[in-house]
Amino acid sequence: MKITLAQLNPTVGDLAGNFSKLRNVLKQEAVLSPELIIFPELFLCGYPPRDLLERKAFLDAVAATVQKIIILSQKFPDTGILFGAPTRTGKNYGKGLYNSAILVWNGKIISQIHKSLLPTYDVFDEARYFDPAGEICTVPFKNEILGISICEDAWNDPEMWYRQIYTFDPITALAEKGATLFINISASPFNTGKDEIRFRLIKNHVARHNRSLVFVNQIGGNDELIFDGSSFILNGNGEIVEKLPAFQTALKTVDLNRAGPLQAYQPLEPISSLYQALVLGLKDYLSKCGFRKVLLGLSGGIDSAVTCALAAAALGPDSVWGVTMPSIYSSTGSVEDSRLLAKNLAIRFDVIPIKSVFDAYITALETQFSGMATDITEENIQARIRGNYLMALSNKYGHLVLSTGNKSETAMGYCTLYGDMSGGLNLINDVPKTLVYRLAEYINRDTEIIPRAILQKAPSAELRPNQTDQDSLPPYEILDAILNDYLENGLSAAEIVQKGFDKNIVYRVIKTIDRNEYKRRQAAPGLKVTSKAFGSGRRMPIAARFDQSWG
């Protein structure tokens, strides 16, 4: 069978735009006469559609667009079209929707296959919207019997998990029903290292059942999620027949009976894939939300420098505006380092001091603050002045403000509400501080973009004399290791201490993380790049008294 893999970038809710992309693929690939074109999971409406699925008008529009595809297919009578879309179950109980793979051919729906396994962990909440498939069916088509599955249906592999979530394996069921070719359409989000997990997962199915498998994944950014694509085809021996690039829209038509040279598997290089993911996530967030330019504060520190470099790479220097806002505590080096960074990136750069406004704040509050020592209150006032400056510029010019706090700071609440947390998106919200430094080195791999002085100076908020981050936080190498164990690996404080960390540091870190949940709830959306990010994938209560630190 000759198959086209359509690794595309849909926009959530843009039915007309996504239909147009599907139509363009059909026209473009028609010259190659594919027998089947495969699009990703929920491609027609984009993934994840979330509560749009609860709107009747939206579902009506989806159904109408499916009819347009049926009509369109008559112009390509030799080609089947397999795409993902929500479909109504027609039942008066349950959620009333399936997550479906629809196969259209020559003016007819040949088959509708529904997703069996509905994930409800991390960022996934599919059982909120969908009912599981009532049965597993194969689809005779052309000279194959297709075993079609949808994303999570392929993830119940006992060799991959210490505890299986599901008792049922759809891939095995498809094999038992005589499938000769497996197809999995996916909207599988990126995190570092996930491409390798996916590949091993799919290869295990192929090895178990000795059948070729076609995996087609979405690419692009939708809200905090980033999709890397990395689609591929494995033959019955588990060898790569074709592999599509990561983080790029791609089309590839492959004749499974006349496959070219086999390809070697090479996992994505972690720091390169992280960089590409953040660039793609920002680019799509802006374009899909209707913004053209970004604005951010440049402190002379590593976080704002990396964020600025990523923004320039994603959008071009003409679409990035850096503003440094020195106070009486700002070093001359921080201002000049920011100026040099802006020059290296060729972006707009402005200096707007905050001293006069800060003095006005202190004068206005003089009576209320009388007799009280200077403390973090005055530090936060400086951060909030800067946040207000940026938001004023955003209002006036229509630019999106990027906040620049890293995961380590966000975890510990080492940030100021309505100050440096102000913004419409945070690129590095899920990037630990130690990884921010590695990103900076990667950005500088060919030439010095981020000034060496920024990489070498001790991190500091510069809100009081001689301040450094390490005055308030453990060394970042220790902090990030504890955060990884607590947040991503789910270890308790006792288990982390058993690994050799200082008991008092572990206890303080975990208590601080839990205490600052209220801050994170008010933060700008952040791009997800690890297996456990703050945001929709981590749902902790704010008003709670359970002491998790020693649980």
Side-chain angles (χ1 to χ4, degrees), residues 71-118:
I71 294 170
L72 175 66
S73 70
Q74 295 175 345
K75 298 181 180 179
F76 307 91
D78 296 326
T79 301
I81 308 167
L82 180 64
F83 63 95
T87 62
R88 290 182 166 106
T89 67
K91 300 174 182 178
N92 58 5
Y93 57 87
K95 302 297 182 180
L97 283 180
Y98 290 129
N99 180 339
S100 302
I102 303 174
L103 177 57
V104 171
W105 182 37
N106 196 17
K108 295 180 181 179
I109 293 180
I110 300 301
S111 181
Q112 291 189 118
I113 300 297
H114 311 305
K115 192 171 187 176
S116 296
L117 308 183
L118 303 177

Coordinates of all heavy atoms in Angstrom, one line a residue, residues 71-118:
I71 N -17.4 15.1 0.7 CA -17.6 15.6 -0.7 C -16.3 15.8 -1.4 O -16.1 15.4 -2.6 CB -18.4 16.9 -0.6 CG1 -19.8 16.7 -0.1 CG2 -18.5 17.6 -2.0 CD1 -20.6 18.0 0.3
L72 N -15.3 16.3 -0.7 CA -14.0 16.5 -1.3 C -13.4 15.2 -1.8 O -12.7 15.2 -2.8 CB -13.1 17.2 -0.3 CG -11.6 17.4 -0.6 CD1 -11.5 18.4 -1.8 CD2 -10.8 17.8 0.6
S73 N -13.6 14.1 -1.0 CA -13.0 12.9 -1.4 C -13.4 12.3 -2.7 O -12.7 11.5 -3.3 CB -13.3 11.8 -0.3 OG -14.7 11.4 -0.4
Q74 N -14.5 12.8 -3.2 CA -15.0 12.3 -4.6 C -14.0 12.8 -5.7 O -14.0 12.2 -6.8 CB -16.4 12.8 -4.8 CG -17.4 12.2 -3.9 CD -18.8 12.8 -4.0 OE1 -19.0 13.9 -4.7 NE2 -19.8 12.1 -3.5
K75 N -13.3 13.9 -5.4 CA -12.4 14.4 -6.4 C -11.1 13.5 -6.4 O -10.2 13.7 -7.3 CB -12.0 15.8 -6.1 CG -13.2 16.8 -6.2 CD -12.8 18.2 -6.0 CE -14.0 19.2 -6.1 NZ -13.6 20.6 -5.8
F76 N -10.9 12.7 -5.4 CA -9.7 11.9 -5.3 C -10.1 10.4 -5.0 O -9.9 9.9 -4.0 CB -8.8 12.4 -4.2 CG -8.5 13.8 -4.3 CD1 -9.3 14.8 -3.7 CD2 -7.4 14.3 -5.0 CE1 -9.0 16.2 -3.8 CE2 -7.0 15.6 -5.1 CZ -7.9 16.6 -4.5
P77 N -10.8 9.8 -6.0 CA -11.5 8.5 -5.8 C -10.6 7.4 -5.5 O -11.0 6.3 -5.0 CB -12.3 8.3 -7.1 CG -11.5 9.1 -8.1 CD -11.0 10.3 -7.4
D78 N -9.3 7.5 -5.7 CA -8.3 6.4 -5.5 C -7.7 6.5 -4.1 O -6.9 5.6 -3.7 CB -7.3 6.4 -6.6 CG -7.8 6.1 -7.9 OD1 -8.8 5.3 -8.0 OD2 -7.3 6.6 -8.9
T79 N -8.0 7.6 -3.4 CA -7.3 7.8 -2.1 C -8.2 7.8 -0.9 O -9.2 8.6 -0.9 CB -6.5 9.2 -2.2 OG1 -5.6 9.2 -3.3 CG2 -5.8 9.5 -0.9
G80 N -7.9 7.0 0.1 CA -8.6 7.1 1.3 C -8.0 8.2 2.2 O -6.8 8.5 2.1
I81 N -8.9 8.8 3.0 CA -8.5 9.9 3.9 C -8.8 9.5 5.3 O -9.9 9.3 5.7 CB -9.2 11.2 3.6 CG1 -9.1 11.5 2.1 CG2 -8.7 12.3 4.4 CD1 -10.1 12.6 1.6
L82 N -7.7 9.3 6.2 CA -7.9 8.9 7.6 C -7.5 10.1 8.4 O -6.4 10.6 8.4 CB -7.0 7.7 7.9 CG -7.1 7.2 9.3 CD1 -8.4 6.7 9.6 CD2 -6.0 6.1 9.5
F83 N -8.5 10.6 9.2 CA -8.2 11.8 10.1 C -9.0 11.6 11.4 O -9.9 10.9 11.5 CB -8.7 13.0 9.3 CG -10.1 13.1 9.0 CD1 -11.0 13.7 9.9 CD2 -10.7 12.5 7.9 CE1 -12.4 13.8 9.6 CE2 -12.0 12.5 7.6 CZ -12.9 13.2 8.5
G84 N -8.5 12.4 12.4 CA -9.1 12.4 13.7 C -10.1 13.5 13.9 O -9.9 14.6 13.4
A85 N -11.2 13.2 14.5 CA -12.3 14.2 14.8 C -13.2 13.7 15.9 O -13.3 12.4 16.1 CB -13.1 14.5 13.6
P86 N -13.8 14.5 16.7 CA -14.8 14.1 17.7 C -16.1 13.7 16.9 O -16.5 14.4 16.0 CB -15.0 15.3 18.6 CG -14.6 16.5 17.7 CD -13.6 16.0 16.8
T87 N -16.7 12.6 17.3 CA -18.0 12.3 16.7 C -19.0 11.9 17.8 O -18.6 11.5 18.9 CB -17.9 11.0 15.8 OG1 -17.4 9.9 16.6 CG2 -16.9 11.3 14.7
R88 N -20.3 12.2 17.6 CA -21.3 11.9 18.5 C -21.6 10.4 18.6 O -21.6 9.7 17.6 CB -22.6 12.7 18.2 CG -22.5 14.2 18.4 CD -23.8 14.9 18.0 NE -23.8 16.3 18.5 CZ -23.7 17.3 17.7 NH1 -23.6 17.2 16.4 NH2 -23.8 18.5 18.2
T89 N -21.8 9.9 19.8 CA -22.1 8.5 20.0 C -23.5 8.1 19.6 O -23.8 7.0 19.2 CB -21.9 8.1 21.4 OG1 -22.9 8.7 22.3 CG2 -20.5 8.4 21.9
G90 N -24.4 9.1 19.6 CA -25.8 8.8 19.3 C -26.6 8.2 20.5 O -27.7 7.8 20.3
K91 N -25.9 8.1 21.6 CA -26.5 7.4 22.8 C -27.0 8.5 23.8 O -26.4 9.6 23.8 CB -25.5 6.5 23.4 CG -25.1 5.4 22.5 CD -24.0 4.5 23.1 CE -23.5 3.5 22.2 NZ -22.3 2.7 22.7
N92 N -28.0 8.2 24.5 CA -28.6 9.2 25.5 C -28.0 9.0 26.9 O -28.6 9.4 27.9 CB -30.1 9.1 25.5 CG -30.6 7.7 25.9 OD1 -29.8 6.8 26.2 ND2 -31.9 7.5 25.8
Y93 N -26.8 8.4 27.0 CA -26.2 8.2 28.2 C -24.7 8.4 28.0 O -24.2 8.4 26.9 CB -26.4 6.9 28.9 CG -26.1 5.7 28.0 CD1 -24.8 5.2 28.0 CD2 -27.0 5.1 27.2 CE1 -24.4 4.1 27.2 CE2 -26.7 4.0 26.4 CZ -25.4 3.5 26.4 OH -25.0 2.4 25.6
G94 N -23.9 8.6 29.1 CA -22.5 8.8 28.9 C -22.2 10.2 28.5 O -23.0 11.1 28.6
K95 N -21.0 10.4 28.0 CA -20.5 11.7 27.6 C -21.1 12.1 26.2 O -21.2 13.3 25.9 CB -19.0 11.8 27.5 CG -18.3 11.5 28.8 CD -18.6 12.5 29.9 CE -17.9 12.2 31.2 NZ -18.2 13.1 32.2
G96 N -21.5 11.1 25.4 CA -22.1 11.4 24.2 C -21.1 11.7 23.0 O -21.5 12.0 21.9
L97 N -19.8 11.5 23.3 CA -18.8 11.8 22.2 C -17.7 10.7 22.2 O -17.4 10.1 23.3 CB -18.0 13.1 22.5 CG -18.7 14.4 22.2 CD1 -17.8 15.6 22.5 CD2 -19.1 14.5 20.7
Y98 N -17.2 10.4 21.0 CA -16.1 9.6 20.8 C -14.9 10.4 20.3 O -15.1 11.4 19.6 CB -16.3 8.5 19.8 CG -17.3 7.4 20.2 CD1 -18.4 7.0 19.4 CD2 -17.1 6.7 21.4 CE1 -19.2 6.0 19.8 CE2 -18.0 5.6 21.8 CZ -19.0 5.3 20.9 OH -19.9 4.3 21.3
N99 N -13.7 10.0 20.7 CA -12.5 10.5 20.0 C -12.3 9.5 18.9 O -11.9 8.4 19.1 CB -11.3 10.5 21.0 CG -10.0 11.0 20.4 OD1 -9.9 11.0 19.2 ND2 -9.1 11.4 21.2
S100 N -12.5 9.9 17.6 CA -12.6 9.0 16.5 C -11.5 9.2 15.4 O -11.0 10.3 15.3 CB -14.0 9.1 15.8 OG -15.0 8.9 16.8
A101 N -11.2 8.1 14.8 CA -10.5 8.1 13.5 C -11.5 7.8 12.4 O -12.1 6.7 12.4 CB -9.3 7.1 13.6
I102 N -11.6 8.7 11.5 CA -12.6 8.5 10.4 C -11.9 8.2 9.1 O -11.0 9.0 8.7 CB -13.5 9.8 10.3 CG1 -14.1 10.2 11.6 CG2 -14.5 9.6 9.2 CD1 -14.9 11.5 11.6
L103 N -12.3 7.1 8.5 CA -11.8 6.8 7.1 C -12.8 7.1 6.1 O -13.9 6.5 6.1 CB -11.4 5.3 7.1 CG -10.8 4.8 5.8 CD1 -9.6 5.6 5.3 CD2 -10.5 3.3 5.8
V104 N -12.5 8.1 5.2 CA -13.4 8.5 4.1 C -12.7 8.0 2.8 O -11.5 8.2 2.6 CB -13.6 10.0 4.2 CG1 -14.3 10.5 2.9 CG2 -14.3 10.4 5.4
W105 N -13.6 7.5 1.9 CA -13.1 7.1 0.6 C -14.2 7.3 -0.5 O -15.3 6.8 -0.3 CB -12.7 5.6 0.7 CG -12.1 5.1 -0.6 CD1 -11.3 5.7 -1.5 CD2 -12.3 3.7 -1.1 NE1 -11.0 4.9 -2.5 CE2 -11.5 3.6 -2.3 CE3 -12.9 2.6 -0.6 CZ2 -11.5 2.5 -3.1 CZ3 -12.9 1.4 -1.4 CH2 -12.2 1.4 -2.6
N106 N -13.9 8.0 -1.5 CA -14.7 8.2 -2.6 C -16.2 8.5 -2.3 O -17.1 7.9 -2.7 CB -14.7 6.9 -3.5 CG -15.2 7.2 -4.9 OD1 -15.3 8.3 -5.3 ND2 -15.6 6.1 -5.6
G107 N -16.3 9.5 -1.4 CA -17.6 10.0 -1.1 C -18.4 9.3 0.0 O -19.6 9.5 0.2
K108 N -17.7 8.4 0.7 CA -18.4 7.7 1.8 C -17.4 7.5 3.0 O -16.2 7.5 2.9 CB -18.7 6.2 1.3 CG -19.7 6.2 0.2 CD -20.0 4.8 -0.2 CE -21.0 4.7 -1.4 NZ -21.2 3.3 -1.8
I109 N -18.1 7.4 4.2 CA -17.3 7.0 5.4 C -17.3 5.5 5.4 O -18.3 4.8 5.5 CB -18.0 7.6 6.6 CG1 -18.0 9.1 6.7 CG2 -17.4 6.9 7.9 CD1 -18.6 9.7 7.9
I110 N -16.0 5.0 5.2 CA -15.8 3.6 5.2 C -15.9 3.0 6.6 O -16.4 1.9 6.9 CB -14.5 3.2 4.6 CG1 -14.5 3.7 3.1 CG2 -14.2 1.7 4.6 CD1 -15.5 3.2 2.3
S111 N -15.3 3.8 7.6 CA -15.2 3.3 9.0 C -15.0 4.4 9.9 O -14.4 5.5 9.6 CB -14.1 2.3 9.1 OG -14.0 1.8 10.4
Q112 N -15.5 4.3 11.1 CA -15.2 5.2 12.2 C -14.7 4.3 13.4 O -15.5 3.6 14.0 CB -16.4 6.0 12.7 CG -16.9 7.0 11.6 CD -18.0 7.9 12.2 OE1 -17.8 9.1 12.2 NE2 -19.1 7.4 12.5
I113 N -13.4 4.5 13.7 CA -12.8 3.8 14.8 C -12.7 4.7 16.0 O -12.2 5.8 15.8 CB -11.4 3.2 14.4 CG1 -11.5 2.3 13.2 CG2 -10.7 2.6 15.6 CD1 -12.3 1.1 13.4
H114 N -13.1 4.2 17.2 CA -13.1 5.1 18.3 C -12.0 4.7 19.3 O -11.6 3.6 19.4 CB -14.5 5.0 19.0 CG -15.6 5.2 18.1 ND1 -15.7 6.2 17.3 CD2 -16.7 4.3 17.8 CE1 -16.8 6.1 16.5 NE2 -17.4 5.0 16.9
K115 N -11.5 5.7 20.0 CA -10.4 5.5 21.0 C -10.9 4.7 22.2 O -12.0 5.0 22.7 CB -9.9 6.9 21.4 CG -8.6 6.9 22.2 CD -8.1 8.3 22.4 CE -6.7 8.3 23.0 NZ -6.2 9.7 23.1
S116 N -10.2 3.7 22.6 CA -10.6 2.8 23.7 C -10.0 3.3 25.0 O -10.7 3.3 26.0 CB -10.0 1.4 23.4 OG -10.6 0.9 22.3
L117 N -8.8 3.7 25.0 CA -8.1 4.1 26.3 C -8.1 5.6 26.4 O -7.5 6.3 25.6 CB -6.7 3.6 26.4 CG -6.6 2.1 26.1 CD1 -5.1 1.6 26.3 CD2 -7.5 1.3 27.0
L118 N -8.7 6.2 27.4 CA -8.9 7.6 27.6 C -8.1 8.1 28.8 O -8.4 7.9 29.9 CB -10.4 8.0 27.8 CG -11.3 7.5 26.7 CD1 -12.8 7.8 27.1 CD2 -11.0 8.1 25.4

